[in-house]
Amino acid sequence: MTTVPTEINAAAVKNSPTEKVTPMMQQYLSIKAEYPDMLVFYRMGDFYELFHSDAEKAARVLGITLTARGSSGGQPIKMCGVPFHSLEGYLAKLVKIGESCAICEQIGDPATSKGPVERKVMRVVTPGTLTDADLLPEKAERPLLAMCIISQRKVATAGLAWLSLASGALKLMEFSGDSRTVTARMQQELERIAPAEVLRGDNADLFDDTLSCHLSFHTSRVPDWHFDVVGGHKALLDQLSVATLTGFGADGLGAAFGAAGALLRYAQSTQGRGLQHVRTLTTETENEFIGLDAATRRNLELTETIRGQESPTLFSLLDHCRTAMGSRLLRHWLHHARRDQAIARSRHQAIAALGQADATGTLSHTLAQVPDIERITTRIALLSARPRDLASLRDGVQQLPALRHAMQRALSDNDGLLAAIHADMATPEACLDLLQRAVALEPAAMVRDGGVFARGFDAELDELRALSENAGQFLVDLETRERARTGIANLRVEYNKVHGFYIEVTHGQTTKVPDDYRRRQTLKNAERYITPELKAFEDKALSAQDKALAREKMLYDQLLADLAPFIGCLQTISKALAQLDALTSLTDHALRHNWCAPQLVDTPCINIAEGRHPVVENQIERFIANDCRFVEERRLLLITGPNMGGKSTFMRQVALITLLAYVGSYVPATSATIGPIDRIFTRIGATDDLAGGRSTFMVEMTESAAILNGATEHSLVLMDEVGRGTSTFDGLALAWAIARHLIDTSRSFSLFATHYFELTQLPESHPTAANVHLSAVEHKDSIVFLHAVQDGPASQSYGLQVAQLAGVPQPVIKAARKHLARLEAQALDATPQLDLFAAPSTDADDQELDAPAHGAPAAASPALRELLDALDDLDPDALTPREALERLYQLKRLTETAQA
C-alpha cells in the first residue's frame, strides 16, 4: 500500500497561535487533509501545483523541478507543478507505479472571488478506477477488487467483488473453508482476476497479513464499516435498480455483499458521481472455469512469457483483432476457459461458419474502422467523454450495417452464436441521428476549444459563430449602406481595441451626418460616431466568442445527458462487436495455419493426432508433430529422453491444445478429441523464491503439493523432472511416490517427464501408466534430436552430449566420460546413499583424474600413460582398415609393456 505522509496538518496549523498561513495555503491544507494518502494536484491558473511531501515525491518520480515559495514554520514550502494541458501524461506515469492522485480544480470565478478562488476535488485517479484512454492499456482490463473475510470459529468465508470501471462489468464470488484453504483459494482467484487495485479493511487481521505477503497488487485501505453486509446488499439493489438479486444468482451470499458495498462506495467517490453504466451483475462459481493456477499461467505463457515479456505468447500469436474490445475479450477467454462444452462448441461452429463463408477479410477491414465503443460508452456514462470520443462513436456505429451484411453469408438457419451477435448489432437509429446532427465532422479535442457542434444543430450557436466569424463582412456591408444613405463617399466603418467599432467621417463631411449618429471620439481631421445598429452589433460581436464557448459547453452537457438512455444499447453492441472480432481473429489464424476443429466429448479422454505447439511452430522452420493418447486405461505417460529433446515442448503443447479447445478455438493438430477437463496443473522449470524464503526444491515441492491436493480424475497434470532438487535417492523416492499417487489416487491424465530411468518400471505394476520417449541419434560425440515421441523408455539421457553442445570445455567432457564409465560399472553393486558431508573415499581412478587439476605428478606409470594417450588420440572413423589393424597391434604392444 502506498502512503503519502502529510508534512503539515491543517488542524495543527489552525491551532498554532504563531503560525501564519496564507488563505490560499489554508485552502490547500484543508483539501489535503481529506486526501492524506494521495498526491493532490492543486489547480492554480494554467498549472497544477503540488506542495510539501507531495512535491518532493512528484519531482523525484516525474523528473520535474522542485522549487520553494514562502515559508511555514520557518521552512520554505516546497512545490512543483505541471502545465494543465500536460496533466494526463504525468498521471499515466504515476498510476503505472501504483500512485493515487486527487485532481483539485478551480470552480469559482477569479473576477468575483474576494478571497482564494473556490476549489474542489473533481476527480480521483487510482490504479483501479481508470477510464481515460490515455491512462489505460488498450488490450487489457484493470479491475478494482474488494475483499471481505468473515471468520466464525474455524471457518472463514471470503467474498470478492470486482469491477472493471472502463467496461461496467461487476462480478461477485464467495467461498468458505479453513483459513489455509481460503488463503490458497484467495491467492488463486487474485492471480486469475489480476486486479490493478485491491480494497481491504483498515484493521487487517493475521489472516489478511499472511495473504498480503504473497501478493504484489496495489492495496488501498478503507474503513471496516464500508464492508457491512446489509449495507452492501442494499447498495447492489440500488445500483441495479432491482428489488431482488435472485435473477443474478446472488441469493444467499454474505461476505461478497460486504465487498460489493465497499467497492461501489469507493468507485463512486473517485468518480464524483453515480455509476450509471454498471447495470448488471455476474456471480461466478468455483466450477465455472477450467482451473489454472499462477504456475500454470506462467509455464504455458498465455499472455506473458516466463521472462515477463509480452511476446511471443499464445495471446500475441492469436491476437489478430482489429478492435481493442476484441483483444481484451480474447485475452479474457484465454484466462477464463469455461468447463461448459456447449460454450466452446458454439464458438467452434461460429469459426466454421465464418471460414466457409470466406468472410474474415471483409469483416477485418470493416472492424478496423470501429473505435473502442465499450470504453467510450463508459466515459459517456461518467460524463467524461471528449468530443472526439463522440465523433469516433458516430463513425463506428455507421459501420454496423456493413458488418451485419458481411456476416449474412455465415448465418445459418438455427439460432447460433453468430445469429445472436448479428441481432445485437442492430443500428441504434435515434442515437446515430443525434450524433450525426450534433457533432462536427472533425471536432476540437476539448470542449473548451470550441468547434464541437455541427452547423445547423443549434440556431443560437450558429448566430454567435456568425457574429464572431463574419464581423468583417458585416462591417463592409454596413459601410456600403451608410455611404449610400449619407452620401459621404469617404465614410469608413472600423474597429480598434480601445474604442471598439465606430464610423469615421472627415470634418468636411460632418454636416451630412444623420441624426442617429452619436459622437464617440474627436480627432484632428475627423469625427468618430456610433449608431444604435452598430452598438448592438458591437455588443454581440465582442461577446460572441465567449458566449459561443459557453453555449457549446451547455449544449455538450445536454448532449451527454441525451445519450444516457442509449448506454445499455451501446454496451450490448460493444459486446457483440468484441465477440465478432475475437471469433474473426481465431478464424483467420486457423485458416492460415491449418488448424482443425476439436471434438469435445463426454467420455474421459485426450486423443490428439499430430499435435503441434502453437507458438513454437511459428518460431522455427520445421516443427515435428506428435500424437498424444489418454483414455480410461491409459492415464499416465512416463516421458524419458535427452535434455533438449522436446519433452517440455510436447507436454506444453498437449496442455495448450486442450485449453484452446475449451476456449472455443481451433487447435494445431490433424485431429483432437477431448473429454471433460476441470483443471490444468503444471510443475515445470526450476526457480527459487528468495523474497519468500523458499529454495528451488521448496518451490518444486509446494507446486507438487498443490497438484496432489487439487487434481481430480478430470484434471490434466504436467510434471517435469520432479525430485531433481535433492539427493538422488530422495528425489527418486519422491518422484516414484508422486507418480503412484497420480495413478492410484488422483487418476488424472498426467504427463510425467523424468530422467530417473528406474521409474520406467512403473507400467509393469500399474497398467494405466505407459512409457514414451523423445528419440535422438548419436553421431560420433554429438547428438541429433529427432523430437519424435515414440513408445517405450529412452535408452539414455545424452547429458554429456548436450553439455558439449552447450560449450562445456573438452577436458571436462572427457573427465565426465571416464567418471560415467566407472559409475556405470559400479551401478550393479548395492551401495548406501552417500552422506554429503562425509569424507570422500579415494581410489586410483579418482587420483588419476584429479592429479592434473592439482598439479601433482601422474599416479600412472609412463607405459600406462603412453597407452592412455594413444587411446585418446585414436579416431576410429578416420582410419582405413589397414591403419586400424596397425593401431590395434600398437595398442597390444603398449598393453603388454604396461603390464610388465
Side-chain angles (χ1 to χ4, degrees):
M1 179 181 67
T2 303
T3 302
V4 182
T6 308
E7 286 188 355
I8 300 179
N9 182 277
V13 171
K14 292 178 182 177
N15 294 335
S16 174
T18 59
E19 192 72 61
K20 290 185 179 180
V21 180
T22 64
M24 188 276 293
M25 186 53 66
Q26 284 183 346
Q27 182 190 62
Y28 166 79
L29 291 172
S30 65
I31 292 171
K32 177 63 183 176
E34 297 177 13
Y35 302 92
D37 297 336
M38 298 185 184
L39 297 177
V40 175
F41 284 75
Y42 184 80
R43 181 71 179 265
M44 296 180 67
D46 289 340
F47 280 79
Y48 286 101
E49 302 289 354
L50 298 96
F51 300 98
H52 303 304
S53 60
D54 284 7
E56 292 184 37
K57 187 167 195 173
R60 183 176 67 254
V61 172
L62 300 176
I64 55 181
T65 303
L66 182 68
T67 61
R69 76 185 262 183
S71 65
S72 176
Q75 297 294 323
I77 299 174
K78 295 176 180 177
M79 62 178 292
C80 65
V82 299
F84 78 96
H85 55 78
S86 304
L87 176 65
E88 300 302 329
Y90 290 108
L91 288 180
K93 292 181 182 178
L94 292 169
V95 169
K96 190 173 183 179
I97 62 172
E99 291 293 338
S100 298
C101 308
I103 314 303
C104 181
E105 301 284 2
Q106 294 180 179
I107 61 174
D109 186 355
T112 60
S113 298
K114 295 181 179 179
V117 180
E118 185 181 359
R119 292 177 175 86
K120 181 181 178 182
V121 171
M122 302 300 293
R123 181 165 61 126
V124 174
V125 178
T126 72
T129 59
L130 305 177
T131 59
D132 196 293
D134 295 332
L135 305 180
L136 280 168
E138 187 179 48
K139 296 185 177 183
E141 297 286 6
R142 287 292 180 266
L144 170 70
L145 180 142
M147 61 169 67
C148 176
I149 301 171
I150 300 175
S151 298
Q152 294 179 340
R153 297 180 182 177
K154 295 184 179 181
V155 178
T157 301
L160 301 180
W162 63 100
L163 168 67
S164 176
L165 200 61
S167 66
L170 174 63
K171 299 180 181 180
L172 301 182
M173 171 175 273
E174 189 171 294
F175 44 88
S176 302
D178 59 66
S179 61
R180 183 171 181 175
T181 302
V182 171
T183 301
R185 178 70 189 282
M186 182 78 78
Q187 291 180 34
Q188 178 183 326
E189 295 302 333
L190 290 177
E191 287 156 353
R192 174 177 69 88
I193 298 166
E197 184 177 5
V198 176
L199 303 181
R200 307 170 71 180
D202 267 332
N203 302 314
D205 57 18
L206 181 61
F207 180 82
D208 286 339
D209 290 336
T210 302
L211 184 62
S212 66
C213 293
H214 302 282
L215 301 178
S216 57
F217 308 114
H218 176 80
T219 305
S220 296
R221 302 281 185 182
V222 296
D224 288 334
W225 61 269
H226 285 191
F227 292 88
D228 177 63
V229 173
V230 176
H233 183 261
K234 184 179 184 303
L236 281 172
L237 294 176
D238 293 343
Q239 178 64 46
L240 302 174
S241 301
V242 294
T244 176
L245 298 176
T246 302
F248 301 101
D251 273 347
L253 299 181
F257 289 155
L263 178 81
L264 292 172
R265 179 189 292 270
Y266 185 83
Q268 289 168 356
S269 68
T270 62
Q271 302 306 305
R273 54 179 58 87
L275 310 174
Q276 58 175 323
H277 66 303
V278 180
R279 301 185 170 201
T280 188
L281 173 68
T282 302
T283 305
E284 292 189 356
T285 61
E286 181 179 2
N287 299 324
E288 189 172 351
F289 304 104
I290 291 179
L292 302 171
D293 59 17
T296 300
R297 296 176 198 276
R298 180 180 65 252
N299 290 328
L300 295 184
E301 298 183 305
L302 300 182
T303 53
E304 186 178 90
T305 68
I306 292 177
R307 294 178 176 83
Q309 299 171 335
E310 294 184 356
S311 176
T313 63
L314 186 62
F315 174 68
S316 69
L317 175 81
L318 297 176
D319 183 25
H320 308 293
C321 296
R322 297 307 182 96
T323 71
M325 300 176 290
S327 294
R328 291 195 298 271
L329 181 62
L330 180 59
R331 176 188 287 267
H332 179 80
W333 282 356
L334 293 179
H335 282 290
H336 299 80
R338 300 289 190 99
R339 296 185 188 181
D340 185 357
Q341 293 183 347
I343 294 175
R345 288 194 193 102
S346 67
R347 293 174 187 165
H348 295 155
Q349 292 166 3
I351 291 173
L354 290 172
Q356 291 170 3
D358 194 23
T360 56
T362 304
L363 287 173
S364 295
H365 176 74
T366 310
L367 283 166
Q369 303 172 58
V370 175
D372 196 339
I373 294 179
E374 182 180 62
R375 289 183 173 175
I376 292 175
T377 302
T378 293
R379 291 195 285 274
I380 290 173
L382 297 175
L383 306 181
S384 61
R386 295 176 179 172
R388 289 180 182 172
D389 285 337
L390 301 188
S392 297
L393 177 62
R394 174 199 62 209
D395 297 341
V397 171
Q398 288 176 332
Q399 304 301 321
L400 293 178
L403 287 170
R404 298 185 82 207
H405 178 73
M407 289 179 65
Q408 199 67 46
R409 292 174 54 192
L411 295 178
S412 58
D413 296 334
N414 56 23
D415 296 329
L417 178 58
L418 287 181
I421 293 173
H422 185 270
D424 287 343
M425 289 199 309
T427 304
E429 298 294 348
C431 176
L432 179 57
D433 176 66
L434 176 60
L435 290 170
Q436 287 176 327
R437 288 187 296 107
V439 183
L441 284 178
E442 295 184 5
M446 307 295 289
V447 179
R448 63 171 179 259
D449 299 328
V452 172
F453 287 90
R455 297 189 183 278
F457 178 70
D458 182 75
E460 183 177 343
L461 177 61
D462 289 345
E463 182 181 353
L464 290 170
R465 283 177 173 172
L467 287 172
S468 177
E469 296 169 1
N470 301 323
Q473 186 59 44
F474 175 84
L475 297 180
V476 170
D477 294 342
L478 179 64
E479 184 177 272
T480 302
R481 283 189 284 112
E482 289 302 309
R483 285 180 177 180
R485 182 164 77 101
T486 62
I488 304 174
N490 60 353
L491 177 148
R492 292 186 302 167
V493 179
E494 293 184 346
Y495 165 83
N496 66 37
K497 292 184 178 180
V498 177
H499 295 97
F501 292 97
Y502 55 85
I503 300 173
E504 185 175 289
V505 180
T506 60
H507 283 310
Q509 303 290 330
T510 54
T511 56
K512 299 180 180 180
V513 170
D515 294 338
D516 59 344
Y517 276 39
R518 299 288 181 267
R519 182 179 285 106
R520 167 161 278 189
Q521 185 184 14
T522 300
L523 301 178
K524 180 179 180 181
N525 298 318
E527 296 286 343
R528 290 177 175 174
Y529 300 90
I530 189 79
T531 66
E533 180 185 8
L534 187 56
K535 177 60 177 173
F537 176 78
E538 179 183 67
D539 292 341
K540 283 186 176 182
L542 293 181
S543 61
Q545 188 170 5
D546 291 339
K547 288 181 178 179
L549 292 175
R551 180 71 178 173
E552 287 208 61
K553 178 67 172 66
M554 184 275 292
L555 289 173
Y556 195 76
D557 292 341
Q558 184 60 48
L559 176 59
L560 293 180
D562 292 342
L563 288 171
F566 302 107
I567 289 174
C569 174
L570 291 173
Q571 286 179 326
T572 300
I573 290 171
S574 68
K575 290 176 182 176
L577 286 169
Q579 288 188 80
L580 178 62
D581 197 12
L583 290 170
T584 302
S585 177
L586 292 176
T587 305
D588 180 60
H589 193 85
L591 292 175
R592 289 187 185 185
H593 296 86
N594 194 29
W595 287 16
C596 76
Q599 301 299 313
L600 299 179
V601 297
D602 296 331
T603 306
C605 68
I606 296 178
N607 195 351
I608 300 169
E610 297 186 8
R612 312 182 303 275
H613 191 294
V615 179
V616 176
E617 75 165 337
N618 252 34
Q619 305 294 315
I620 62 178
E621 185 175 347
R622 181 172 178 266
F623 188 91
I624 306 299
N626 284 300
D627 298 347
C628 180
R629 186 174 68 90
F630 282 117
V631 289
E632 185 63 35
E633 61 276 7
R634 179 185 165 103
R635 286 188 164 270
L636 183 139
L637 295 184
L638 277 164
I639 308 171
T640 51
N643 294 296
M644 294 289 294
K647 297 191 299 297
S648 295
T649 300
F650 172 65
M651 295 167 69
R652 286 184 171 99
Q653 80 184 35
V654 173
L656 288 173
I657 288 172
T658 302
L659 181 66
L660 282 171
Y662 274 88
V663 163
S665 168
Y666 277 22
V667 298
T670 302
S671 67
T673 303
I674 299 171
I677 297 292
D678 61 2
R679 300 194 67 177
I680 298 175
F681 293 95
T682 65
R683 192 356 292 150
I684 298 174
T687 182
D688 53 23
D689 178 14
L690 296 179
R694 299 188 299 166
S695 67
T696 302
F697 183 67
M698 186 61 180
V699 171
E700 178 182 321
M701 288 298 103
T702 302
E703 293 178 358
S704 298
I707 293 173
L708 298 178
N709 290 323
T712 71
E713 62 179 348
H714 294 304
S715 301
L716 175 61
V717 174
L718 279 59
M719 300 199 80
D720 190 12
E721 299 184 29
V722 174
R724 63 183 171 182
T726 186
S727 66
T728 303
F729 290 169
D730 282 354
L732 174 58
L734 281 168
W736 181 280
I738 289 171
R740 285 193 56 180
H741 188 280
L742 291 172
I743 296 170
D744 295 335
T745 306
S746 302
R747 301 188 69 249
S748 310
F749 290 145
S750 304
L751 293 163
F752 200 97
T754 184
H755 285 288
Y756 293 129
F757 287 101
E758 293 84 350
L759 293 184
T760 58
Q761 301 171 20
L762 265 175
E764 297 174 7
S765 57
H766 296 78
T768 57
N771 281 310
V772 296
H773 70 279
L774 274 297
S775 56
V777 174
E778 193 172 6
H779 178 65
K780 296 184 181 179
D781 290 337
S782 63
I783 184 174
V784 177
F785 302 111
L786 301 181
H787 302 296
V789 176
Q790 299 177 355
D791 290 335
S795 58
Q796 57 176 307
S797 285
Y798 300 100
L800 299 186
Q801 290 84 347
V802 174
Q804 189 170 353
L805 288 176
V808 174
Q810 197 61 34
V812 176
I813 297 295
K814 286 185 177 182
R817 288 187 189 282
K818 293 176 181 178
H819 202 65
L820 176 62
R822 190 178 76 251
L823 291 175
E824 288 176 342
Q826 295 173 348
L828 296 177
D829 298 335
T831 56
Q833 182 172 346
L834 298 177
D835 184 347
L836 291 176
F837 302 98
S841 61
T842 61
D843 58 27
D845 288 339
D846 285 337
Q847 293 174 1
E848 177 184 324
L849 290 172
D850 291 341
H854 296 286
S861 66
L864 180 58
R865 173 58 59 195
E866 185 180 358
L867 172 61
L868 293 176
D869 289 343
L871 285 170
D872 284 341
D873 295 338
L874 192 62
D875 185 1
D877 293 326
L879 299 178
T880 65
R882 182 176 183 82
E883 289 174 338
L885 185 61
E886 290 175 354
R887 291 294 180 93
L888 185 58
Y889 282 121
Q890 178 191 2
L891 292 173
K892 187 174 185 302
R893 285 195 302 273
L894 290 172
T895 303
E896 291 172 350
T897 304
Q899 291 176 343

